[in-house]
Amino acid sequence: MVTVAFIIAFFFAMNIGGSGAAATMGAAYGSGTLSNKRIALFICAVAIFLGSLSGGEVVKTIGSGIVPTSILKTDVVVIVLAAATISLFAANVLGIPLSTSEITVGAVVGAGIAYQSLYVGKLLWIVSFWLITPLAAFSLAFFISKWLKGKTLKQNKWIGFLLIIAGFFEAFSAGMNNVANAVGPLVGAGLLSVQHGIIFGGLFVALGALLLGSRVLETNGKKITTFSQLEGCIISGIGATLVIVSSLFGLPVPLTQITTSAIIGIGTTKSGFSIWQKQIVIQVLKVWIVSPIFSLAVSYSLIKLFLHSDIYTAIAIVSVCFATLGTISLKKTITEERRSFHEHGGGI
């Protein structure tokens, strides 16, 4: 079971890298400053590893700040990590930027509910920042972009260089905050020290950015809205600042939501609130809402099934989860069919 726990944790870490790539180098890639995906992902990987070395406080929060360490035995850790990995891997396959913090916390909370042992106050504090930080990112990006609108600003090579630096620090913040999602449960179970956890976790997250980050990078960089190099600096600078500050206080925050919210803030300034009607924005918002609840339900159900032998509760919870996902998928299909119908002038 210990070996399985490590395998799942490091596989999860690789998927975190694949998902986090969009939230870090998406602005530099989308603005055309870094047109080569591989170079963008390599810079992301290096920065993520360096940032992971400063992520000890968030590791402690995931490992012992949400549920007592007494319930994080090896078999529970395996289930928590498996639930989070299933949710994140599905999002990567769909090319949707997803908050690893939300699904990890959701999976840990599922275990806490199963054992009726949960630090509710700390959880509410964390969840409040899931709302505050994306809202702050959207507002800052919107008003800064509004202030710059109409001003004549010279775009030069220094702006491009500044954007790459901003992207680097945003990737640094990803390592500082998100590596804890993979190794925090291992540390909480006493299978790894904090120091070893951030080193090994950082390596696998960096590897995941290189191997799995291409599709999510494309989504965040080019499918939501287009933006200039200066706007890219705003996006990456806001994301890096909010996440690094949160990490210093040990708070796992949704980096991808923060960055995507900043991108939507820029897009709203340029295109108005019509951008909210774009299918990719609607799809991302749906995944944000469903993902923590889904990982919580999967974690709770697996514990009930395999550790408590409560098959009926597990079946009921899983059925509700898949019914929810099926409804979202059906609505997406209907929307796409309607768009296709209108694009063809009402014909087939």
Side-chain angles (χ1 to χ4, degrees), residues 26-294:
Y29 175 70
S31 66
T33 305
L34 287 174
S35 58
N36 188 305
K37 279 187 182 182
R38 285 298 160 192
I39 293 176
L41 294 174
F42 178 77
I43 294 173
C44 169
V46 172
I48 280 176
F49 177 72
L50 295 176
S52 71
L53 302 180
S54 303
E57 290 304 313
V58 186
V59 170
K60 294 175 185 176
T61 298
I62 295 292
S64 59
I66 301 173
V67 298
T69 55
S70 58
I71 74 170
L72 287 179
K73 295 181 170 50
T74 303
D75 49 3
V76 175
V77 167
V78 168
I79 289 176
V80 166
L81 290 171
T85 303
I86 290 169
S87 302
L88 183 57
F89 183 73
N92 282 345
V93 169
L94 294 173
I96 297 297
L98 180 64
S99 168
T100 56
S101 297
E102 286 191 357
I103 62 173
T104 303
V105 172
V108 173
V109 170
I113 293 174
Y115 286 95
Q116 300 181 8
S117 186
L118 189 65
Y119 298 142
V120 177
K122 182 69 173 182
L123 176 62
L124 293 177
W125 180 245
I126 292 171
V127 172
S128 69
F129 272 80
W130 291 357
L131 302 175
I132 293 170
T133 49
L135 180 60
F138 174 85
S139 301
L140 287 170
F142 179 81
F143 287 112
I144 292 174
S145 181
K146 201 83 170 175
W147 178 71
L148 292 174
K149 193 173 183 179
K151 297 183 183 295
T152 304
L153 297 174
K154 187 177 180 180
Q155 299 287 319
N156 54 44
K157 64 180 181 180
W158 295 110
I159 295 292
F161 179 73
L162 180 62
L163 176 56
I164 295 174
I165 296 298
F168 181 89
F169 276 103
E170 190 179 9
F172 181 93
S173 73
M176 193 174 179
N177 199 272
N178 285 355
V179 167
N181 297 323
V183 299
L186 296 178
V187 173
L191 302 178
L192 271 181
S193 66
V194 173
Q195 191 62 35
H196 287 151
I198 58 180
I199 292 174
F200 287 112
L203 285 173
F204 278 91
V205 172
L207 182 61
L210 287 173
L211 299 181
L212 304 175
S214 179
R215 289 190 64 187
V216 178
L217 180 68
E218 188 74 26
T219 295
N220 238 43
K222 296 187 176 181
K223 290 187 178 179
I224 296 178
T225 187
T226 57
F227 39 83
S228 66
Q229 292 179 331
L230 182 59
E231 290 167 342
C233 289
I234 295 171
I235 293 165
S236 291
I238 289 173
T241 301
L242 290 174
V243 174
I244 288 175
V245 171
S246 299
S247 299
L248 292 175
F249 289 94
L251 292 169
V253 292
L255 169 60
T256 308
Q257 283 186 236
I258 291 170
T259 304
T260 306
S261 296
I263 292 173
I264 295 174
I266 296 286
T268 303
T269 303
K270 297 168 66 176
S271 307
F273 285 90
S274 62
I275 189 177
W276 291 84
Q277 298 176 5
K278 279 193 172 185
Q279 181 60 34
I280 186 64
V281 173
I282 296 172
Q283 188 177 4
V284 167
L285 290 173
K286 287 178 179 178
V287 173
W288 284 349
I289 295 170
V290 171
S291 57
I293 300 173
F294 180 74

